[in-house]
Amino acid sequence: MDPSVIVATANAAAERLSGGTSWAFTWGPLVRGSCTMLAGARWTLFPDGTATFDGTVAGEPGRTWVIWHVDLLDAHGTILGSLATEHPVEGDWRKFVTTPGSVRPHRFRARANFDAGLWDDLASLRMHWSC
Protein backbone atom coordinates (compact mmCIF):
# COMPACT_ATOMS: atom_id res chain seq x y z
CA MET A 1 0.00 0.00 0.00
CA ASP A 2 1.14 3.49 -0.80
CA PRO A 3 2.11 5.06 2.56
CA SER A 4 0.54 8.37 1.51
CA VAL A 5 -2.93 6.90 2.07
CA ILE A 6 -2.22 6.00 5.70
CA VAL A 7 -3.50 8.58 8.17
CA ALA A 8 -2.08 8.95 11.71
CA THR A 9 -4.68 10.17 14.18
CA ALA A 10 -4.14 10.71 17.91
CA ASN A 11 -6.94 9.83 20.29
CA ALA A 12 -9.44 12.62 20.92
CA ALA A 13 -9.94 11.71 24.58
CA ALA A 14 -8.32 9.52 27.22
CA GLU A 15 -10.09 8.45 30.38
CA ARG A 16 -9.21 6.17 33.28
CA LEU A 17 -12.06 3.73 33.87
CA SER A 18 -13.15 1.67 36.88
CA GLY A 19 -11.01 3.34 39.50
CA GLY A 20 -7.94 3.52 37.29
CA THR A 21 -7.88 -0.16 36.32
CA SER A 22 -8.21 0.52 32.58
CA TRP A 23 -7.75 3.28 30.00
CA ALA A 24 -10.33 4.21 27.36
CA PHE A 25 -8.97 6.06 24.31
CA THR A 26 -11.63 7.39 21.93
CA TRP A 27 -11.69 9.11 18.56
CA GLY A 28 -14.01 11.61 16.92
CA PRO A 29 -15.24 10.80 13.40
CA LEU A 30 -12.51 9.73 10.97
CA VAL A 31 -13.30 10.38 7.31
CA ARG A 32 -11.36 9.62 4.14
CA GLY A 33 -13.21 9.83 0.83
CA SER A 34 -16.37 7.73 1.11
CA CYS A 35 -15.11 5.91 4.22
CA THR A 36 -16.11 6.94 7.73
CA MET A 37 -15.35 5.67 11.21
CA LEU A 38 -18.10 7.05 13.39
CA ALA A 39 -17.31 9.11 16.50
CA GLY A 40 -16.79 7.04 19.61
CA ALA A 41 -14.44 4.38 18.25
CA ARG A 42 -12.56 3.16 21.31
CA TRP A 43 -9.47 1.23 22.31
CA THR A 44 -9.70 0.03 25.92
CA LEU A 45 -6.39 -1.00 27.50
CA PHE A 46 -6.01 -3.05 30.68
CA PRO A 47 -3.02 -3.25 33.06
CA ASP A 48 -2.51 -6.96 32.27
CA GLY A 49 -1.36 -6.01 28.75
CA THR A 50 -4.60 -6.74 26.90
CA ALA A 51 -6.67 -4.36 24.78
CA THR A 52 -9.96 -4.32 22.89
CA PHE A 53 -11.20 -2.14 20.03
CA ASP A 54 -14.82 -1.33 19.28
CA GLY A 55 -15.78 1.02 16.46
CA THR A 56 -18.33 1.45 13.71
CA VAL A 57 -17.23 1.96 10.10
CA ALA A 58 -19.00 2.61 6.81
CA GLY A 59 -17.84 2.91 3.22
CA GLU A 60 -18.46 1.80 -0.33
CA PRO A 61 -18.89 -1.95 -0.85
CA GLY A 62 -15.56 -3.67 -1.30
CA ARG A 63 -13.60 -1.09 0.68
CA THR A 64 -11.40 -2.45 3.45
CA TRP A 65 -10.73 -0.65 6.72
CA VAL A 66 -7.19 -1.21 7.95
CA ILE A 67 -5.66 -0.13 11.23
CA TRP A 68 -2.00 -0.47 10.21
CA HIS A 69 -0.72 -0.05 13.74
CA VAL A 70 -1.44 1.66 17.04
CA ASP A 71 1.41 3.42 18.84
CA LEU A 72 1.46 3.61 22.64
CA LEU A 73 2.73 7.03 23.72
CA ASP A 74 3.97 8.53 26.98
CA ALA A 75 3.07 12.01 28.26
CA HIS A 76 5.81 13.56 26.05
CA GLY A 77 4.57 11.86 22.86
CA THR A 78 7.44 9.35 22.80
CA ILE A 79 6.51 5.99 21.27
CA LEU A 80 6.70 3.26 23.92
CA GLY A 81 5.56 0.36 21.74
CA SER A 82 2.66 -0.90 19.64
CA LEU A 83 -0.45 -2.98 20.07
CA ALA A 84 -0.14 -6.52 18.70
CA THR A 85 -3.12 -8.40 17.25
CA GLU A 86 -4.12 -11.85 18.41
CA HIS A 87 -4.71 -12.75 14.75
CA PRO A 88 -1.89 -11.50 12.46
CA VAL A 89 -3.00 -10.38 9.00
CA GLU A 90 -0.62 -11.41 6.20
CA GLY A 91 2.02 -12.07 8.87
CA ASP A 92 1.77 -8.53 10.28
CA TRP A 93 1.11 -8.63 14.04
CA ARG A 94 0.30 -4.88 14.16
CA LYS A 95 -2.44 -4.87 11.45
CA PHE A 96 -6.21 -5.01 12.14
CA VAL A 97 -8.62 -5.39 9.18
CA THR A 98 -12.37 -5.44 8.50
CA THR A 99 -14.35 -5.35 5.25
CA PRO A 100 -17.91 -4.04 5.57
CA GLY A 101 -20.35 -5.89 3.33
CA SER A 102 -22.28 -2.76 2.35
CA VAL A 103 -22.47 1.01 2.82
CA ARG A 104 -24.43 0.41 6.01
CA PRO A 105 -22.49 0.88 9.24
CA HIS A 106 -20.45 -2.16 10.26
CA ARG A 107 -19.06 -2.92 13.72
CA PHE A 108 -15.26 -3.27 13.76
CA ARG A 109 -13.94 -5.18 16.77
CA ALA A 110 -10.45 -6.36 17.60
CA ARG A 111 -8.34 -7.73 20.45
CA ALA A 112 -4.70 -6.95 21.06
CA ASN A 113 -1.80 -7.28 23.49
CA PHE A 114 1.02 -4.99 24.60
CA ASP A 115 3.91 -5.03 27.06
CA ALA A 116 2.23 -4.64 30.47
CA GLY A 117 5.47 -3.08 31.76
CA LEU A 118 4.54 0.08 29.80
CA TRP A 119 1.33 0.61 31.80
CA ASP A 120 2.59 3.27 34.22
CA ASP A 121 4.02 5.42 31.40
CA LEU A 122 1.04 5.17 29.05
CA ALA A 123 -0.68 8.51 28.29
CA SER A 124 -2.12 8.38 24.74
CA LEU A 125 -2.43 6.40 21.50
CA ARG A 126 -1.86 7.18 17.83
CA MET A 127 -3.76 5.03 15.36
CA HIS A 128 -2.47 4.68 11.77
CA TRP A 129 -5.35 3.77 9.45
CA SER A 130 -6.62 3.72 5.90
CA CYS A 131 -9.69 2.69 3.92
Side-chain angles (χ1 to χ4, degrees):
M1 163 145 306
D2 178 355
S4 68
V5 302
I6 299 173
V7 179
T9 309
N11 57 284
E15 177 186 1
R16 287 272 189 177
L17 302 174
S18 306
T21 59
S22 62
W23 272 107
F25 298 95
T26 57
W27 279 259
L30 303 176
V31 179
R32 180 99 187 215
S34 65
C35 296
T36 302
M37 183 176 292
L38 303 180
R42 174 166 116 168
W43 277 103
T44 304
L45 279 64
F46 302 93
D48 67 355
T50 60
T52 60
F53 178 75
D54 192 358
T56 302
V57 296
E60 295 175 4
R63 296 299 299 244
T64 300
W65 268 92
V66 180
I67 298 174
W68 292 93
H69 65 278
V70 179
D71 295 328
L72 308 170
L73 308 171
D74 69 10
H76 305 289
T78 302
I79 297 173
L80 302 169
S82 296
L83 294 179
T85 182
E86 292 181 341
H87 306 285
V89 177
E90 300 171 352
D92 188 341
W93 56 269
R94 298 187 317 160
K95 188 190 298 185
F96 306 85
V97 176
T98 191
T99 304
S102 70
V103 295
R104 296 173 48 135
H106 168 81
R107 196 156 181 196
F108 185 175
R109 297 177 119 190
R111 294 187 177 278
N113 297 294
F114 64 96
D115 179 354
L118 302 174
W119 183 255
D120 290 335
D121 295 321
L122 185 60
S124 64
L125 301 183
R126 185 176 325 132
M127 185 166 60
H128 302 258
W129 60 275
S130 68
C131 176

